[in-house]
Amino acid sequence: MKRKNLDISSYLIIGPENTHGRPVPDIVRAALVAGFTCLQVRSKTATARELLALVQACAEVRAELGLTERVALLIDDRLDLVLAARELGTPVDGVHVGQTDVPPEICRRLLGPEAIVGLSAPRTELLEYIHTGDLSAIDYLGAGPLHPTDTKPDAGLLADGTRHLRTLDELRTLAAESPIPVVVGGGVKKSDLPALKGTGVAGFFVISAVAGAEAPGRAAKELVNIWKES
């Protein structure tokens, strides 16, 4: 898909460790049918080859649903796997990186002008970052956590052992002042969505709220509907 078509309003992050043993492509299919607009494959346990196969399977699901030009498919952290997937003919749209990963400007240079590059926002001093940092290579910022989350126990954890959670006031200011869209996650539940949308952020991201749900398709549909109707 093209960068200009990027929609991060309903953003699913998923890997094999998040699904309670169920096939990742099945949950991806359920989420995309329900209306999710962006997909990030993320795993800290899968091998490189396992991840490449998983990304290929997710790309096939997206293509079968006719959503290749409408839903972005990204890989977390692994710029090398984005490049490898492309060499293998898998249509991967880009990468999401953190503050300690390959710098976004390098990702942009290697992936080209149409790739999507997302960046996890710094844990503190976020407003200073968006005012003084170089955001020219980045398409969106991922901010979180909104709540503590089991899928990423160190989310928001600072060097002194305290945890920084994003407040609605902070997100409201961020959405108003950031020159690029912001997507928010980290323990997000459907009850959070009306207030979250009221801050003006571009969307929400979830892992367990869909991948860990008893009925992933129904859970995904509820999230999409609440966001749209808020």
Side-chain angles (χ1 to χ4, degrees):
M1 68 172 295
K2 305 297 185 185
R3 291 172 70 191
K4 64 182 180 181
N5 297 333
L6 179 63
D7 182 348
I8 54 173
S9 60
S10 303
Y11 188 138
L12 177 64
I13 302 174
I14 191 168
E17 58 264 53
N18 310 131
T19 65
H20 301 305
R22 296 170 294 185
V24 168
D26 290 355
I27 294 177
V28 166
R29 179 183 298 277
L32 297 188
V33 168
F36 265 68
T37 61
C38 190
L39 173 64
Q40 180 192 130
V41 176
R42 172 185 180 268
S43 179
K44 303 304 180 183
T45 62
T47 67
R49 291 196 180 191
E50 288 170 343
L51 270 174
L52 285 172
L54 186 58
V55 170
Q56 174 63 39
C58 291
E60 290 172 357
V61 168
R62 182 179 63 160
E64 289 167 9
L65 295 173
L67 296 173
T68 300
E69 294 302 319
R70 291 171 52 194
V71 173
L73 174 57
L74 312 175
I75 300 178
D76 180 60
D77 288 353
R78 299 292 301 270
L79 172 63
D80 60 329
L81 294 188
V82 179
L83 294 168
R86 289 183 168 189
E87 283 295 312
L88 293 170
T90 303
V92 178
D93 299 300
V95 68
H96 181 93
V97 292
Q99 294 290 321
T100 59
D101 298 322
V102 176
E105 59 271 20
I106 302 299
C107 297
R108 171 67 59 211
R109 192 177 309 154
L110 292 176
L111 295 178
E114 285 301 327
I116 295 165
V117 178
L119 177 70
S120 292
R123 293 175 178 178
T124 59
E125 301 174 349
L126 180 51
L127 289 176
E128 178 183 350
Y129 182 80
I130 65 171
H131 291 150
T132 62
D134 181 7
L135 305 180
S136 60
I138 308 166
D139 294 294
Y140 69 88
L141 282 171
L146 191 65
H147 306 294
T149 171
D150 291 339
T151 55
K152 197 171 183 181
D154 63 342
L157 202 62
L158 305 180
D160 62 3
T162 61
R163 190 180 302 274
H164 180 79
L165 301 177
R166 303 297 183 185
T167 67
L168 293 177
D169 284 343
E170 179 184 20
L171 295 172
R172 191 173 293 110
T173 302
L174 174 62
E177 299 188 22
S178 175
I180 59 176
V182 178
V183 61
V184 179
V188 167
K189 303 176 291 294
K190 60 184 181 181
S191 58
D192 295 315
L193 295 186
L196 194 57
K197 191 169 185 180
T199 66
V201 297
F204 66 92
F205 66 83
V206 293
I207 301 175
S208 57
V210 171
E214 183 177 344
R218 184 173 65 201
K221 190 64 175 177
E222 288 178 351
L223 291 165
V224 168
N225 287 344
I226 291 171
W227 183 262
K228 287 181 176 178
E229 295 166 3
S230 297

